């Protein structure tokens, strides 16, 4: 039980992130991320202007991912709700993600490409969340067909080992799977 008592009547801001994976064709999946920021209370801007409650950010990222290589083939950005008219100026830099593999080191590479003043903090955060969700969605897509997932050991080695406590190299699960010849 939590010792932090939350008065739900005092909520001031929400951020909702939704990520979904879709089958596209035999060689690709689409991963779609959506970010929504909502201000619950009125605020004053740095100029002293009063802003009412409402949606601050509503943004989408869609990634077309090649299944076998886990490579980003295409990136689409949509910004139906933004606080500043300049926000869409960041969209072109996201095309530099095309051709990248979602693999160890992805986060640092993404930060170098779209981090800081080169991109959008909100879309960068969404993309980071999408990377792990893409692997989960890819795994789900592959696991629907027993024949297709013949390289499960390679995927496990590349994407799961040492990503968390359960999947640690010296843990019980990895040891058991190695004994069963499920992974290297």
């Amino acid at each position: 039980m939590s010792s932090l008592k939350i008065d739900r009547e005092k909520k001031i801001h929400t951020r909702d992130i939704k990520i979904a994976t879709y089958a596209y064709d035999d060689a690709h999946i689409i991963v779609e991320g959506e970010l929504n920021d909502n201000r619950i209370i009125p605020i004053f801007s740095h100029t002293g202007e009063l802003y009412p409650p409402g949606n601050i950010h509503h943004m989408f990222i869609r990634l077309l991912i090649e299944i076998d290589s886990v490579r980003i083939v295409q990136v689409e950005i949509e910004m139906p709700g933004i606080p500043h008219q300049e926000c869409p100026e960041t969209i072109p830099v996201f095309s530099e993600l095309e051709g990248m593999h979602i693999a160890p080191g992805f986060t640092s590479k993404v930060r170098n490409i779209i981090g800081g003043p080169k991109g959008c903090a909100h879309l960068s955060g969404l993309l980071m969340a999408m990377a792990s969700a893409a692997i989960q969605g890819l795994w789900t897509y592959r696991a629907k067909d027993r024949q297709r997932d013949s390289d499960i050991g390679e995927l496990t080695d590349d994407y799961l080992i040492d990503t968390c406590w359960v999947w640690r190299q010296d843990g019980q699960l990895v040891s058991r799977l190695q004994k069963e010849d499920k992974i290297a």
Side-chain angles (χ1 to χ4, degrees), residues 39 43-51 83-84:
R39 184 175 43 240
I43 64 162
F44 290 95
S45 75
H46 61 283
T47 63
E49 183 180 354
L50 181 64
Y51 289 141
H84 306 286

Side-chain angles (χ1 to χ4, degrees), residues 27-54:
H28 301 89
I29 58 172
I30 294 177
V31 180
E32 178 182 61
E34 176 182 8
L35 180 142
N36 256 304
D37 272 337
N38 286 293
R39 184 175 43 240
I40 310 301
I41 61 171
I43 64 162
F44 290 95
S45 75
H46 61 283
T47 63
E49 183 180 354
L50 181 64
Y51 289 141

Side-chain angles (χ1 to χ4, degrees), residues 55-125:
N55 184 268
I56 307 164
H57 300 100
H58 187 201
M59 304 172 163
F60 293 88
I61 300 175
R62 291 178 197 90
L63 304 173
L64 180 64
I65 299 174
E66 186 177 61
I67 294 166
D68 290 337
S69 66
V70 196
R71 182 178 58 88
I72 298 171
V73 176
Q74 185 177 344
V75 178
E76 285 185 356
I77 306 294
E78 183 182 348
M79 297 180 171
I82 52 175
H84 306 286
Q85 66 184 18
E86 297 88 358
C87 291
E89 293 174 13
T90 64
I91 292 174
V93 75
F94 285 85
S95 67
E96 293 182 38
L97 300 172
E98 293 175 359
M100 282 184 61
H101 295 267
I102 299 175
F106 180 78
T107 299
S108 62
K109 289 177 186 173
V110 167
R111 282 191 184 122
N112 287 333
I113 294 170
I114 63 170
K118 296 178 260 182
C120 167
H122 301 88
L123 289 175
S124 295

